[in-house]
Amino acid sequence: MTDLAGMVLSAFEEATGEAVDEDRLASDDPAMWDSITHVYLVHLIERRLGVQLPEEVLTGRANLGELVATVASATGLG
Amino acid sequence: MRLEPGLVRAFAEASGDRNPLHLDAEYARSSTFGRPIVHGALLAISALATLPRERLSTLSSVSASFTAPVFPGVDYSLHSVAAAGGSITVAAQAEGSVVARFRCTAPGADADAPTESVPGAVGRAPSREAAVWRPAELSAGLRWEESYLPAGQALRDLSVVLGAEAVPDRVLRGLAWVSWLSGMRMPGRDGLLAGFALSFSGETSGAGRSRVQVDEVDTRTGAVWLAGHYTAGDGSASASVRALLRSPLPSPTPESVGRHLEAGGRLAGHHVVVVGGSRGWGAAMAGALATQQATVWVMYSGAHRQAAQLRASFGSGRIRLHRCDAASPAEVGQLAQRLRQEDASLSAVVLAAAPPLRTTTAQPEAVPSQLDFIRASVALVATPLAVLAPLLRPREGCLVVASSAALDDPPPRLGHYVAAKAAVEGYASSFAAEHRLRALLVRAPKMRTDMVNGPTGSIGAAPPERVAAAATRALLTLGDAEVTLLRPPCQ
């Protein structure tokens, strides 16, 4: 698991209160993940990375693994 | 567990959080929820009731994450599980999905709640009305101090009803304060509490004082982060609160419609009914048709303020209001009677009404509400058509149906919405063929309406006036084909 993926998982845990592990990256279960949670999650990621992510990160989401890929693509981080 | 409306009212009075989203059915109807919701802090008290008494007596902090609204009168389940660091997490679930999580810690356990206090600030007088903020008024560093005194005995009585009598008074007061703070002060009337982290201590100075500052504001989404400190007679609480400020959406005006559609007179003498015409795309259609000199009969059920505003903007000569339940044949029949009495020749019916929309999950428990949504959506089309169709002239009369681009690109967690729109399209198309009418199916892109007025709802969304303009132009140039599909562009 990359550092970025670990950070995103940690941010998800803080945003939702749900303890997660690496398996969550591939999970398509969005049960705990509505737009309000997603906004907070993106905010935590931005704060931890010290960057502002593009708007499409706010509006598009599938699973955490894809979010990691989107953030990696937007920031050049891996 | 079920939180009835009476408990919501009791908590509102005890805490002072009288935000209309909890108490005013008409106001809540114009929100994305479509109906009043339960205070998150009230749900928190219910969740704490599941903890052992000995844990409650030593509770040092409570944190909460809210991911879906909690509605009065709906059954929820609470499940607690021991978490890392000696804390306990309580999850509230509905329809198989977690709607909120609460993490409760005792002294010595890992806590995620703040302990530092907020510096003193300018005093403000409290009010019984929820504060109203415009996004431009929010800024990091904004701070204020005011008195806050919940009705302690009323909170205690409520806790007994909830089976939470073992929850200490300081915890009840802290939760009431967080609710009042977010619901009445910041973000206030147009806000939504998304989560909080609350810690308790024995500090007693400045009893009944609330000090709050805005830590951060995200102007893209309206997200607000607050830090606060509250002291009462026997203890204090510190909180970090995250909330969302929802910007109320303006009603269409001749100016906003005129930016997308030139005024004309081609519909002079024509009468059009717009079902669901007080808000959103329906209101935009009503305005667009009015600018073409149609007499527009706006059917609406609850949003009287918006309906009245629409009439004031476009003139009572162009906009005629009819308040009714579009799914009630008798009530729609009263509009038909009015039209007959005025000898109004009906040229078109615009079907823009829809039930409130929420995302859903693939859980079996969610299926009944998904089916209810689909049924309600079809009823809001089928009933008006059944009653009003005799007033439409064959081969000339037209149905304009609010569908969605989601049919071309189904998004996740909205299967019930996509199914409803497919059903509505199919129903209207078949109806048009049966009654020799023309149907214009408008697969609208995401629009800036109350239906999606959440934190990311306006990002990439089209103004409804633009989509209404495209639909009106299509209506004015509609050929003889029974069914025409229109896909207005988003940009």
Side-chain angles (χ1 to χ4, degrees), chain B residues 88-373:
Chain B
I88 295 179
T89 296
V90 182
Q93 284 191 320
E95 297 183 352
S97 297
V98 175
V99 297
R101 266 202 180 87
F102 304 96
R103 186 168 176 238
C104 312
T105 57
D110 292 339
D112 49 15
T115 53
E116 68 274 11
S117 62
V118 175
V122 176
R124 285 169 64 130
S127 168
R128 283 182 62 92
E129 298 293 322
V132 179
W133 292 90
R134 289 191 298 273
E137 294 174 324
L138 298 184
S139 62
L142 195 64
R143 62 173 67 153
W144 64 96
E145 179 174 345
E146 58 196 328
S147 62
Y148 171 68
L149 285 170
Q153 188 56 49
L155 280 176
R156 173 51 51 198
D157 293 342
L158 182 60
S159 73
V160 172
V161 172
L162 294 171
E165 57 270 14
V167 177
D169 283 341
R170 58 188 170 83
V171 175
L172 294 176
R173 271 198 311 272
L175 290 170
W177 167 62
V178 167
S179 192
W180 168 84
L181 169 63
S182 58
M184 297 295 286
R185 311 306 291 145
M186 169 66 70
R189 187 195 70 182
D190 299 326
L192 269 177
L193 179 61
F196 61 81
L198 189 61
S199 67
F200 311 100
S201 74
E203 179 195 342
T204 59
S205 61
R209 299 300 290 175
S210 167
R211 296 201 301 272
V212 182
Q213 73 178 27
V214 177
D215 274 352
E216 285 185 72
V217 177
D218 185 337
T219 55
R220 299 167 301 175
T221 60
V224 181
W225 285 263
L226 310 173
H229 191 69
Y230 173 65
T231 50
D234 60 349
S236 66
S238 294
S240 59
V241 176
R242 59 182 190 277
L244 286 156
L245 176 63
R246 300 167 298 130
S247 302
L249 297 169
S251 288
T253 62
E255 293 71 34
S256 69
V257 170
R259 283 195 282 272
H260 307 283
L261 181 70
E262 194 176 329
R266 288 183 57 183
L267 292 179
H270 290 259
H271 290 254
V272 179
V273 169
V274 180
V275 184
S278 62
R279 298 182 292 140
W281 184 72
M285 277 301 294
L289 294 166
T291 66
Q292 305 306 304
Q293 300 300 303
T295 299
V296 185
W297 297 79
V298 171
M299 271 176 56
Y300 71 101
S301 64
H304 185 70
R305 276 192 300 263
Q306 288 94 326
Q309 197 168 349
L310 187 73
R311 181 176 56 187
S313 290
F314 291 92
S316 56
R318 291 269 79 87
I319 301 290
R320 313 282 287 274
L321 301 181
H322 185 83
R323 189 170 194 169
C324 76
D325 175 4
S328 162
E331 294 185 30
V332 179
Q334 291 171 356
L335 173 60
Q337 195 173 354
R338 284 179 70 185
L339 289 166
R340 289 192 182 94
Q341 283 169 351
E342 296 206 14
D343 202 24
S345 173
L346 195 58
S347 298
V349 176
V350 177
L351 299 148
L357 177 63
R358 281 189 296 136
T359 54
T360 186
T361 67
Q363 302 298 322
E365 301 92 323
V367 171
S369 65
Q370 294 168 2
L371 296 176
D372 286 343
F373 179 88

